């Protein structure tokens, strides 16, 4: 299958692209209260709109140090000074001192989340932290020190899985690093912990991989509850064959066995995690007709006014949706769609390329899998990419639709405010907010803050809430802000790279009613790994019915007299006084109105009628 180029660049830097199937105007990006917030490491000025922060827990001792905040310009200056000192030493016939900063970049950075009921796990470059939210007041209850890179986490039963990519990571979780190009002490891959005793997690498995593990995704076996698979995405260099025998490097024209251009499929026997192993390294970027393993974007610029885009020899992140047998790969230079009905052998169904996407980073499906969002991590997360002169379609979300297993471009969405040059800002991790009848994404934007995007109409996404903090450093660009922002059991949880664990609740507004929030808060999950997307289902309730009614009234899509009758009966239902005959009559009237309506309005009328019929 050949890569489809779905967007055509306009011949002016900073202009929006023409998206296939939609005529989209340039998104308006303007300064607002978020633009000039005062800086502070743990006490910055904040701005909130339709969101309230309910918890703010700074990292514990050993994970908190402002000096460890990665400041790219300062780090580069230190490197230049070290090189100059080394050169002077060599000229003087002396042995130069190795460059050894007090903290490596992102040494104490908080990263991604995994959820298991009232227990929340937060990855960190230095290990992982555990929080308990059962009382409604989040409490830090555990810390594991285990340096290894961004240490993204996921959970399954009594097992916690951790992505390890750093070359300094040790098999024994020790902090001392690893010396030499080849070492038996080095670990890069998937760590597995037994967390049945949360006070004493124990590493019980470790799967070495050729490119380490930047991110990973759990895929349940549809036929065997005792087995799960892990799709592993490594993004760094290939290890020497001398260190791991299955690894060789190079481009496919020089080495057909290269560890590039594949992902790892790891099989995990849940009852025996120590037996976990790589069972496949599928060539999901290839072309079966030509037998090329490198059939997608090979990197570079597609045109004069376009981004320099990454080569598709890896996936940064893969989101699976087992309910539909699909996965979306954000794979550096392309977005791809996979069939995962056989999870051990994923097959690419389609792919998409966009000249304004520098690095395809992460993905989210809509609840019905008809819409698919990809994010662009332009600048790698360490650049100020939301400034006044940053193009609105670079470092943004790209919203696509799926039809007959084909990906079709619709629109861009970027944070609709201006951030300053000391704030790293670009589209990053998020998840759906479970409001029935709507598609809403809670999303992190690093130091751009937390934002909620309504993409119910994929051609017209818009912001409905935000929370932002001032920069961590008012003078120099420092890498901080929200790495991830996910909805879980009634709250949004965000991991701030430098400032730690935060929680938020939605507030009623012109964009979101009390009933819509109540309906979202009624969805309760146990296990929740955001990259393993679950289908959202709502129990029939007065709040769910009222949410649909609120949406119809907000859109002027329902007759006023019918809406009033429905509202009256919903009030009775809420008081346990519902009348079955009246509910059935209202459902019939709604279904009749739906026949005269179109699109989303008709869908909401039908959904509301269904709730009333079942309640009767």
């Amino acid at each position: 299958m050949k890569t489809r180029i779905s967007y055509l660049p306009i011949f002016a830097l900073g202009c929006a692209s023409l998206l296939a199937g939609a005529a989209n105007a340039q998104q308006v990006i303007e300064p607002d209260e978020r633009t000039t917030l005062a800086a502070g490491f743990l006490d910055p000025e904040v701005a909130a709109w339709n969101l309230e922060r309910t918890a703010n827990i700074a990292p514990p001792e050993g994970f908190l140090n402002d000096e460890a905040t990665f400041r790219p310009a300062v780090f580069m200056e230190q490197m230049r000074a070290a090189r100059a000192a080394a050169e002077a030493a060599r000229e003087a016939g002396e042995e130069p001192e190795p460059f050894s900063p007090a903290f490596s970049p992102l040494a104490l950075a908080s990263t991604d989340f995994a959820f298991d009921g009232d227990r929340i796990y937060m990855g960190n470059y230095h290990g992982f932290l555990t929080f308990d939210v059962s009382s409604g007041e989040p409490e830090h209850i555990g810390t594991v020190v285990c340096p290894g890179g961004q240490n993204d986490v996921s959970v399954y039963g009594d097992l916690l899985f951790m992505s390890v990519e750093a070359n300094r990571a040790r098999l024994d979780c020790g902090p001392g690093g690893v010396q030499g190009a080849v070492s038996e002490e080095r670990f890069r891959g998937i760590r597995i912990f037994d967390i049945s005793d949360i006070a004493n997690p124990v590493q019980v498995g470790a799967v070495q991989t050729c490119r380490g593990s930047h991110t990973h995704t759990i895929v349940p076996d549809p036929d065997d509850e005792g087995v799960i698979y892990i799709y592993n995405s490594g993004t760094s260099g290939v290890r020497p064959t001398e260190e791991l025998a299955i690894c060789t490097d190079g481009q496919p024209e020089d080495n057909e066995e290269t560890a590039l251009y594949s992902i790892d499929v790891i099989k995990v026997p849940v009852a025996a995690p120590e037996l976990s192993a790589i069972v496949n390294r599928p060539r999901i970027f290839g072309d079966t007709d030509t037998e090329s393993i490198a059939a997608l974007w090979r990197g570079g610029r597609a045109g004069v006014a376009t981004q320099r885009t990454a080569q598709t020899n890896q996936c940064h992140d893969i989101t699976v949706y087992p309910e539909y047998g699909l996965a979306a790969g954000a794979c550096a230079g392309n977005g791809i769609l996979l069939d995962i009905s056989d999870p051990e052998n994923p097959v690419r169904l389609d792919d998409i390329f966009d000249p304004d996407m520098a690095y395809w980073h992460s993905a989210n499906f809509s609840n019905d899998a008809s819409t698919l969002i990809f994010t662009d991590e332009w600048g790698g997360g360490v650049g100020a990419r939301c400034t006044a002169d940053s193009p609105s379609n670079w470092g943004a979300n790209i919203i696509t639709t799926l039809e007959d297993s084909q990906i079709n471009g619709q629109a861009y969405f970027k944070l609709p405010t201006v951030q300053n040059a000391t704030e790293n800002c670009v589209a990053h991790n998020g998840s759906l907010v479970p409001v029935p009848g709507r598609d809403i994404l809670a999303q992190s934007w690093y130091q751009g803050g937390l934002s909620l995007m309504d993409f119910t109409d994929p051609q017209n996404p818009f912001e409905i809430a935000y929370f932002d903090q001032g920069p961590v450093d008012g003078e120099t660009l420092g890498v901080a802000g929200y790495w991830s922002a996910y909805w879980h059991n009634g709250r949004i949880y965000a991991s701030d790279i430098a400032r730690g664990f935060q929680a938020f609740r939605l507030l009623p507004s012109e964009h979101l009613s009390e009933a819509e929030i109540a309906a979202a808060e009624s969805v309760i999950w146990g296990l929740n790994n955001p990259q393993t997307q679950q289908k959202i289902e709502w129990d029939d309730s007065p709040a769910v019915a009222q949410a649909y009614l609120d949406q119809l009234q907000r859109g002027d899509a329902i007759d006023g007299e019918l809406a009033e009758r429905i509202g009256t009966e919903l009030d009775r239902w809420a008081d346990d006084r519902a009348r079955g005959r009246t509910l059935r009559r209202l459902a019939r009237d709604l279904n009749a109105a739906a026949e005269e309506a179109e699109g989303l309005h008709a869908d909401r009328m039908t959904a509301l009628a269904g709730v009333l019929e079942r309640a009767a």
Side-chain angles (χ1 to χ4, degrees):
M1 182 181 297
K2 294 183 178 180
T3 298
R4 297 182 298 105
I5 298 180
S6 293
Y7 307 104
L8 300 174
I10 292 177
F11 298 104
L13 185 63
C15 291
S17 293
L18 298 177
L19 288 87
N24 287 269
Q26 175 91 349
Q27 183 182 347
V28 177
I29 307 293
E30 294 182 341
D32 61 19
E33 64 174 340
R34 292 172 278 184
T35 304
T36 57
L37 296 175
F41 179 53
L42 293 181
D43 59 347
E45 186 179 4
V46 303
W49 179 55
N50 302 335
L51 277 174
E52 178 184 42
R53 186 163 64 184
T54 59
N56 183 15
I57 304 176
E61 185 177 354
F63 285 72
L64 176 65
N65 191 323
D66 186 25
E67 295 303 313
T69 299
F70 179 40
R71 295 169 170 85
V74 174
F75 188 80
M76 293 302 297
E77 183 58 35
Q78 291 174 343
M79 286 188 63
R80 284 191 289 268
R83 291 195 192 104
E87 182 62 29
R90 280 190 288 268
E91 290 178 357
E94 301 172 356
E95 185 69 22
E97 292 287 335
F99 176 53
S100 182
F103 295 95
S104 61
L106 300 174
L108 302 179
S110 298
T111 58
D112 213 7
F113 281 125
F115 306 89
D116 189 4
D118 290 330
R119 192 164 287 173
I120 301 176
Y121 302 91
M122 184 173 75
N124 186 287
Y125 274 67
H126 200 48
F128 71 90
L129 309 176
T130 306
F131 298 85
D132 185 280
V133 297
S134 58
S135 70
E137 296 291 333
E139 179 186 2
H140 173 228
I141 62 170
T143 301
V144 172
V145 173
C146 188
Q150 67 186 49
N151 286 346
D152 280 8
V153 292
S154 60
V155 290
Y156 192 89
D158 288 334
L159 300 177
L160 180 143
F161 302 90
M162 174 188 285
S163 285
V164 181
E165 192 170 49
N167 217 38
R168 63 187 175 87
R170 296 177 56 86
L171 186 60
D172 62 5
C173 272
V178 180
Q179 302 301 315
V182 175
S183 174
E184 294 181 354
E185 298 176 330
R186 179 172 287 115
F187 180 74
R188 296 173 63 202
I190 299 290
R191 294 193 199 273
I192 308 173
F193 291 88
D194 182 328
I195 54 172
S196 55
D197 178 2
I198 194 57
N200 296 287
V202 177
Q203 184 171 304
V204 294
V207 181
Q208 299 271 18
T209 66
C210 290
R211 303 181 71 181
S213 177
H214 195 69
T215 67
H216 70 272
T217 305
I218 288 179
V219 189
D221 188 314
D223 302 317
D224 188 346
E225 293 183 357
V227 170
I228 61 171
Y229 292 91
I230 292 176
Y231 288 174
N232 177 59
S233 300
T235 62
S236 66
V238 177
R239 300 167 78 166
T241 306
E242 295 80 8
E243 188 169 85
L244 191 60
I246 63 172
C247 307
T248 59
D249 200 358
Q251 292 298 316
E253 50 268 27
D254 302 317
N255 176 17
E256 293 181 354
E257 303 301 319
T258 179
L260 305 178
Y261 300 96
S262 63
I263 62 170
D264 302 306
V265 178
I266 298 169
K267 187 174 183 178
V268 180
V270 176
E274 69 278 4
L275 301 180
S276 302
I278 296 173
V279 293
N280 192 10
R281 292 196 287 169
R283 298 296 196 182
I284 58 173
F285 313 122
D287 187 325
T288 54
D289 293 335
T290 65
E291 298 186 353
S292 168
I293 66 171
L296 300 185
W297 185 246
R298 297 300 294 270
R301 294 185 185 275
V304 176
T306 65
Q307 294 228 50
R308 177 168 295 281
T309 53
Q311 182 184 88
T312 305
N313 66 41
Q314 57 179 279
C315 285
H316 179 278
D317 219 319
I318 298 173
T319 294
V320 299
Y321 204 166
E323 180 80 17
Y324 290 93
L326 295 174
C331 300
N334 291 90
I336 68 173
L337 184 68
L338 298 171
D339 178 341
I340 61 166
S341 53
D342 176 2
E344 196 166 314
N345 298 284
V347 176
R348 190 173 87 251
L349 297 171
D350 198 25
D351 50 85
I352 188 170
F353 170 79
D354 182 274
D356 289 326
M357 296 281 284
Y359 190 81
W360 299 69
H361 173 274
S362 52
N364 294 91
F365 291 93
S366 62
N367 194 46
D368 65 358
S370 65
T371 305
L372 178 54
I373 298 170
F374 293 99
T375 65
D376 173 24
E377 196 179 40
W378 172 36
V382 299
R385 296 295 190 259
C386 299
T387 59
D389 58 354
S390 297
S392 65
N393 52 319
W394 292 18
N397 296 331
I398 188 168
I399 301 168
T400 71
T401 53
L402 300 180
E403 185 175 354
D404 297 327
S405 299
Q406 297 288 302
I407 309 172
N408 303 299
Q410 297 296 327
Y412 298 102
F413 173 86
K414 191 168 183 178
L415 197 68
T417 185
V418 174
Q419 300 286 358
N420 67 55
T422 68
E423 295 175 291
N424 57 311
C425 176
V426 74
H428 215 239
N429 298 336
S431 73
L432 298 184
V433 177
V435 174
R438 297 175 70 179
D439 293 322
I440 297 173
L441 185 77
Q443 184 176 10
S444 60
W445 291 79
Y446 289 119
Q447 289 199 85
L450 159 63
S451 176
L452 267 66
M453 175 188 69
D454 184 310
F455 64 103
T456 310
D457 177 355
Q459 294 190 26
N460 295 286
F462 61 97
E463 186 176 52
I464 64 171
Y466 62 70
F467 186 93
D468 192 17
Q469 306 170 104
V472 73
D473 188 323
E475 303 297 327
T476 303
L477 173 63
V479 177
Y482 298 129
W483 182 288
S484 296
Y486 299 132
W487 177 275
H488 177 70
N489 293 355
R491 294 290 182 267
I492 296 169
Y493 296 98
S495 53
D496 188 292
I497 291 172
R499 299 169 176 131
F501 177 98
Q502 299 183 23
F504 304 84
R505 71 180 184 95
L506 296 171
L507 300 178
S509 69
E510 71 273 24
H511 295 298
L512 209 56
S513 70
E514 289 186 8
E516 288 174 304
I517 294 172
E521 291 177 345
S522 72
V523 177
I524 302 297
W525 282 334
L527 188 67
N528 178 15
N529 295 300
Q531 283 72 40
T532 306
Q533 195 164 327
Q534 303 177 70
K535 188 169 180 62
I536 303 165
E537 296 180 340
W538 295 265
D539 293 334
D540 295 327
S541 69
V544 170
Q546 185 67 53
Y548 287 122
L549 181 59
D550 290 344
Q551 292 160 13
L552 291 167
Q553 291 180 298
R554 189 184 293 125
D556 294 325
I558 188 170
D559 175 76
E561 186 269 338
L562 176 58
E564 184 176 354
R565 288 165 51 210
I566 294 171
T568 297
E569 201 58 30
L570 292 183
D571 288 340
R572 291 180 62 88
W573 183 9
D575 291 335
D576 293 324
R577 298 184 297 113
R579 297 168 293 190
R581 181 178 298 178
T582 303
L583 290 173
R584 284 190 289 271
R585 185 182 303 117
L586 290 171
R588 287 196 297 270
D589 291 347
L590 276 166
N591 283 323
E595 293 179 1
E596 303 297 322
E598 295 181 351
L600 187 58
H601 297 322
D603 292 342
R604 287 170 172 164
M605 288 178 182
T606 301
L608 176 54
V611 174
L612 299 182
E613 286 173 349
R614 291 186 294 272

